[in-house]
């Protein structure tokens, strides 16, 4: 039973963060640009067959709210909201079962799969953010992706200004309240399974990127939030070095979902991590190469 304690701690941190993010009320705001793209078939002038693609940041400053009135307008126009994963429909027991299935190391421990520098920095942050100064050794049986989620959740829950996945959480809560259909690109179980199949080296790199962001603390997150609200993708690319490798599978699924809805007719609102959208191998370029019309709003 003691092996469940770290996982339950992780789940509670994430749950509390999502709950606070989803409950934030968006009020009218005016921004000249947003991090959203309108995707249509090249020769379609009817304006009846549109997929809107909104890029989101996993960690933002609270100044992300109020959202642009354009985002609210587009949401209201669309019949479905498509997200990477809807964690709100998964119970705590289901999440515990999935984490035990996909988050445990086999025949090794965390100190053996992380570099010395990664281990030391992760250990320092866990001690910093836990009241009883718990060390990384307490989580020695868990994969690096679990440690990355734990540290991210701890940092957000201990911050006065950080929010975790606030934009997708907000629109998921809004869609449920409004009775709109919510479609997942992949289920929570599939997402955790995908994370567990990444090499330990890649998981360690993701952990390292999160540690760097947290060490730089509020200034970087504040800047990223401002750039996101302005729709300044180039600025975000300069601020963060997005790792596309970890997102390849879900990016492909997101691309396939967009093209499917463009063929089916209607208006759809897709929300995906902005790291999947930009760059040569990003979803936006994939759509353009296939002849779709993609316009930043």
């Amino acid at each position: 039973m003691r092996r469940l304690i770290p996982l339950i701690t992780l789940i509670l941190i994430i749950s509390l963060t999502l709950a606070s993010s989803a409950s934030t009320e968006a009020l009218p705001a005016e921004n000249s640009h947003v991090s959203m793209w309108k995707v249509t078939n090249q020769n379609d002038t009817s304006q009846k067959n549109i997929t809107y693609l909104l890029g989101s940041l996993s960690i933002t400053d609270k100044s992300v709210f109020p959202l642009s009135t354009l985002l609210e307008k587009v949401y209201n126009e669309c019949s479905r909201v498509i997200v990477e994963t809807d964690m709100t429909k998964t119970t705590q027991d289901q999440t515990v079962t999935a984490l035990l299935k996909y988050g445990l190391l086999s025949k090794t421990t965390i100190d053996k799969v992380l570099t010395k520098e990664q281990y030391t920095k992760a250990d320092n942050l866990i001690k910093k953010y836990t009241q009883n100064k718990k060390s990384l050794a307490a989580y020695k049986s868990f994969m690096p992706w679990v440690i990355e989620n734990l540290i991210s959740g701890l940092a957000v829950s201990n911050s006065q200004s950080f929010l975790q996945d606030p934009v997708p959480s907000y629109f998921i809560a809004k869609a449920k309240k409004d009775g709109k259909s919510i479609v997942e690109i992949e289920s929570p179980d599939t997402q955790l399974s995908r994370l567990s199949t990444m090499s330990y080296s890649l998981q360690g790199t993701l952990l390292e990127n999160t540690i760097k962001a947290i060490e730089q603390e509020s200034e970087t997150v504040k800047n990223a939030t401002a750039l996101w609200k302005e729709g300044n993708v180039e600025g975000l690319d300069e601020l963060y070095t997005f790792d596309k490798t970890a997102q390849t599978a879900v990016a492909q699924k997101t691309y396939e979902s967009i093209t499917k809805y463009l063929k089916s007719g209607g208006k759809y609102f897709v929300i995906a991590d902005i790291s999947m959208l930009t760059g040569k191998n990003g979803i936006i370029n994939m759509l353009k190469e296939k002849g779709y019309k993609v316009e930043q709003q």
Side-chain angles (χ1 to χ4, degrees):
M1 188 64 189
R2 289 189 304 177
R3 294 175 69 189
L4 288 176
I5 294 175
L7 287 170
I8 292 173
T9 302
L10 171 62
I11 293 163
L12 288 174
I13 289 169
I14 293 174
S15 297
L16 287 170
T17 303
L18 289 176
S20 64
S21 300
S23 63
T24 306
E25 291 293 333
L27 300 173
E30 296 300 333
N31 295 311
S32 56
H33 304 285
V34 291
S35 297
M36 179 175 67
W37 289 259
K38 178 182 177 182
V39 186
T40 56
N41 292 297
Q42 193 63 248
N43 300 316
D44 184 3
T45 58
S46 68
Q47 298 297 301
K48 295 180 180 179
N49 189 13
I50 302 171
T51 296
Y52 290 96
L53 178 58
L54 174 63
S56 66
L57 292 171
S58 57
I59 297 180
T60 74
D61 186 89
K62 285 184 178 180
S63 63
V64 71
F65 293 104
L67 295 176
S68 165
T69 52
L70 177 59
L71 297 185
E72 298 285 357
K73 179 177 180 292
V74 165
Y75 162 82
N76 289 330
E77 290 178 0
C78 295
S79 60
R80 289 184 181 181
V81 175
I82 296 92
V83 295
E84 291 181 53
T85 302
D86 179 8
M87 291 297 293
T88 64
K89 72 176 189 180
T90 305
T91 67
Q92 182 171 306
D93 286 345
Q94 289 172 327
T95 307
V96 168
T97 300
L99 284 171
L100 285 173
K101 182 178 180 181
Y102 299 118
L104 293 175
L105 292 165
S106 177
K107 299 179 181 179
T108 188
T109 52
I110 192 67
D111 57 307
K112 301 294 193 304
V113 300
L114 295 179
T115 66
K116 185 176 180 180
E117 183 179 9
Q118 289 169 346
Y119 185 93
T120 300
K121 288 186 174 182
D123 184 50
N124 289 339
L125 284 177
I126 290 174
K127 288 176 179 175
K128 175 182 177 179
Y129 288 122
T130 51
Q131 292 182 348
N132 56 359
K133 305 297 182 184
K134 189 171 289 185
S135 69
L136 181 53
Y139 305 93
K140 65 180 181 180
S141 298
F142 300 110
M143 288 188 177
W145 74 260
V146 177
I147 305 304
E148 189 268 337
N149 274 270
L150 172 62
I151 289 176
S152 178
L154 284 167
V156 170
S157 65
N158 279 274
S159 171
Q160 296 298 313
S161 60
F162 288 177
L163 293 174
Q164 190 168 37
D165 292 319
V167 175
S169 296
Y170 169 79
F171 281 113
I172 287 172
K174 190 173 178 68
K176 290 190 174 186
K177 181 180 178 181
D178 296 340
K180 287 196 179 188
S181 175
I182 301 171
V183 181
E184 292 180 300
I185 301 298
E186 58 180 10
S187 68
D189 191 80
T190 301
Q191 185 181 65
L192 297 186
S193 175
R194 176 171 54 80
L195 287 168
S196 71
T197 59
M198 291 180 189
S199 67
Y200 292 152
S201 175
L202 179 55
Q203 290 184 44
T205 299
L206 296 177
L207 170 62
E208 191 173 334
N209 287 341
T210 295
I211 289 172
K212 286 179 182 178
I214 291 171
E215 285 177 337
Q216 293 167 358
E217 293 183 336
S218 59
E219 195 60 33
T220 297
V221 175
K222 183 178 180 179
N223 290 341
T225 304
L227 290 168
W228 179 85
K229 293 182 75 171
E230 295 169 2
N232 189 338
V233 179
E234 292 79 11
L236 284 170
D237 280 335
E238 290 178 8
L239 188 65
Y240 289 127
T241 302
F242 292 129
D243 192 323
K244 309 287 186 180
T245 309
Q247 299 278 26
T248 301
V250 68
Q252 181 62 34
K253 290 180 181 178
T254 303
Y255 165 79
E256 291 171 358
S257 293
I258 293 170
T259 55
K260 180 183 74 173
Y261 288 119
L262 284 169
K263 294 174 183 176
S264 66
K267 295 183 180 181
Y268 304 95
F269 191 38
V270 179
I271 307 172
D273 194 285
I274 199 163
S275 64
M276 295 192 297
L277 308 189
T278 61
K280 182 179 179 180
N281 298 317
I283 294 172
I284 291 170
N285 195 52
M286 291 167 65
L287 289 164
K288 288 180 177 179
E289 286 183 344
K290 289 297 182 180
Y292 293 100
K293 187 177 180 181
V294 185
E295 304 167 284
Q296 186 170 5
Q297 300 300 287

